[in-house]
Amino acid sequence: MADFIEGIIKVWNGYGPSFLNGALNTLIVSFIGTVAGCIIGFGVGVVQTIPVDKKDPLWKRVILTAVNLILKGYVELFRGTPMIVQSVFIYYGARMVFDYQIDVWPAALLIVSINTGAYMAETVRGGILSIDPGQTEGAKAIGMNHVQTMMNVIIPQAFRNIIPQIGNNFIINIKDTSVLSVISFADLFFTHKSAVGALYLYFESATITMAIYLVMTVTASFLLRLLEKKLDGDDNYDLATTDTLAYTSGMLSYHQKEKTLEDFK
Amino acid sequence: MSENIIEIQHLEKNFGSHKVLSDIDFSVKKGDVTTIIGVSGSGKSTLLRCINVLETPSGGKILFHGNDIDEKGFSVTDYRAKVGMVFQNFNLFSNMSVLQNCVVGQVKVLGKKKAEAEETAKYFLEKVGMLPYINAKPKQLSGGQKQRVAIARALAMEPEVLLFDEPTSALDPQMVGEVLAVMRQLAAEGLTMIVVTHEMAFARDVSSHVVFMKDGVIWEEGTPEDIFVNPKKDETKDFLARFIN
Ligand SMILES: Nc1ncnc2c1ncn2[C@@H]1O[C@H](COP(=O)(O)OP(=O)(O)O)[C@@H](O)[C@H]1O
Ligand SMILES: [Mg+2]
């Protein structure tokens, strides 16, 4: 046991800053990848839910069908293959096919983004389809077109509903970006491999690595739960003043509220 | 005689092989309050949804100020902004406050300035007695309150015609009155309305024209007196007998 603690100290003394730097890189690539993946996912999900009307011109239906086929292919491809294989495929494949050596950072961001995008696309599509059709009808009934309906009514609600899944994707990314060490991306796991390569203290280094991953995922899920609580909002609302005379002069804000019991608690 | 706002000619609607509406003919003039009555499943909602193009008719025509709404170049969204609809289940935007619900259409569809839209929204919210609740979210309101907001949202678009599909059917009995009171007031002010309802007292007192539907056809129509006092068809009498007791 004393050996073990000594080993840990030794690893930490030699590689502490590297571990922290690796952890930071893990967080950065996970975060940016999740955000970019969300944007991709929303793009794909929104396109996939464009309604086709029998009255639409043929060219529109043909293009939409073709685009949807491509998007479906993208989703299947990146959900159906491991990210570690996608990493080598993109990193080394780009060099072979396009004669272009993509840098490690852009490669890492690209891989995580399009991988997350494929998962988010399905989530977003489900999120959009699960919104009560009455919401769409309410929007149509006041003359909104499809884009206006999506932007103002459906996407905000779908987004709110899938925040937990976005959070899950972020947490999964924190863990799964460890595969990026295969393209020598200097994340936390890559630091572990470097430390082990030099010191041969496998168990000690792995313990430190595990601990840091755990701290990151637990913190992330805690913050997410806070965010969700906040977004749920309180169930109270301020009654605007009932003095209707006050509205006649173009008054627009109703910040003054009557004191309620809540204020005295 | 004033011009028809909406004229429906030989309207038909099939869902697959299921014929839901056949040969529907009627028209609505400015200031008319047309009520549509009939048992459930008789096609009343489908008729209203065809008028608002939430369903595509299978045959026949709908004319708006004499223009075929199915014609190329006719803007369905502009048309819908002029023909409002109030739903049985309110369909308020659950991500928006009461005020936003009544503002968003004016700003996005009519292109109004936000401040102006808010003034208009508040004017109509006051009319339905919901002005104190402008900051509330729909989920915080009772059914009757939601429906009054939904009416204000539709009115804020300043439509020429307002369609109501059983606006009180999803409400607890004690809330029906508050919504009907608003609708009676709107009728008295001359708003053109087409109302599907099971509230026979409302239909009798407020309508200028009553349409009785059965099995997807207009079985009998006329003034409230024609339908409620002197119905000619047995089916109409049977229907009313069941509802009046
Ligand atoms: N989207 C639909 N698909 C298939 N059948 C439908 C659809 N909407 C309505 N119907 C059928 O059309 C008939 C008329 O329905 P509806 O217009 O809702 O009647 P009402 O409003 O008078 O109760 C019913 O038999 C109903 O089952
Ligand atoms: Mg109905």
Side-chain angles (χ1 to χ4, degrees), chain B residues 2-6 28-33 160-161 190-192:
Chain B
S2 66
E3 185 211 6
N4 289 330
I5 299 181
I6 289 180
V28 172
K29 290 185 176 35
K30 192 168 165 45
D32 280 357
V33 177
E160 290 181 46
V161 185
L191 180 71
T192 312

Side-chain angles (χ1 to χ4, degrees), chain A residues 53 55 132 134-135 137-145 148 152-153 156-157 232 234-242 244 247-248 250-254, chain B residues 49 52 54 70 77 80-81 83-85 87 91-96 104-105 108-109 115 118-119 122 126 131-136 139-141 153 157:
Chain A
D53 197 294
K55 284 201 293 187
D132 171 17
Q135 296 286 308
E137 297 202 333
K140 278 181 168 179
I142 55 173
M144 284 196 201
N145 59 32
Q148 290 167 335
N152 296 288
V153 179
Q157 293 184 39
D232 270 339
D234 54 353
D235 275 349
N236 304 314
Y237 54 88
D238 298 342
L239 267 195
T241 168
T242 46
T244 49
Y247 299 119
T248 51
M251 217 179 78
L252 290 174
S253 59
Y254 296 88
Chain B
R49 294 167 60 80
N52 208 16
L54 290 172
D70 202 28
T77 51
R80 286 203 187 110
V83 179
M85 177 128 171
F87 300 87
N91 294 347
L92 289 179
F93 306 134
S94 49
N95 58 319
M96 298 182 199
V104 65
K108 303 291 172 186
V109 177
E118 287 185 346
E119 283 303 302
K122 283 172 190 162
E126 182 176 9
L131 191 52
Y133 299 87
I134 51 174
N135 299 320
K139 69 170 179 188
Q140 298 165 324
L141 303 177
R153 176 176 73 178
M157 300 299 287

Side-chain angles (χ1 to χ4, degrees), chain B residues 12 68 80 112 145 149 203-204:
Chain B
E12 278 180 30
D68 188 341
R80 286 203 187 110
K112 281 203 211 170
Q145 291 175 326
V149 172
R204 188 188 59 216

Side-chain angles (χ1 to χ4, degrees), chain B residues 15 18 20 38-47 55 165-166 196:
Chain B
F15 287 110
H18 181 27
V20 174
V39 296
S40 66
S42 56
K44 307 179 299 296
S45 296
T46 306
L47 173 55
E55 301 288 354
D165 190 5
E166 300 196 28
V196 171

Side-chain angles (χ1 to χ4, degrees), chain A residues 69-96:
Chain A
L69 223 70
I70 294 167
L71 294 180
K72 188 136 180 37
Y74 155 65
V75 169
E76 294 299 329
L77 180 64
F78 282 88
R79 278 161 48 104
T81 54
M83 191 153 81
I84 192 165
V85 183
Q86 294 163 15
S87 304
V88 290
F89 183 76
I90 287 174
Y91 187 66
Y92 299 109
R95 183 169 57 195
M96 300 226 352

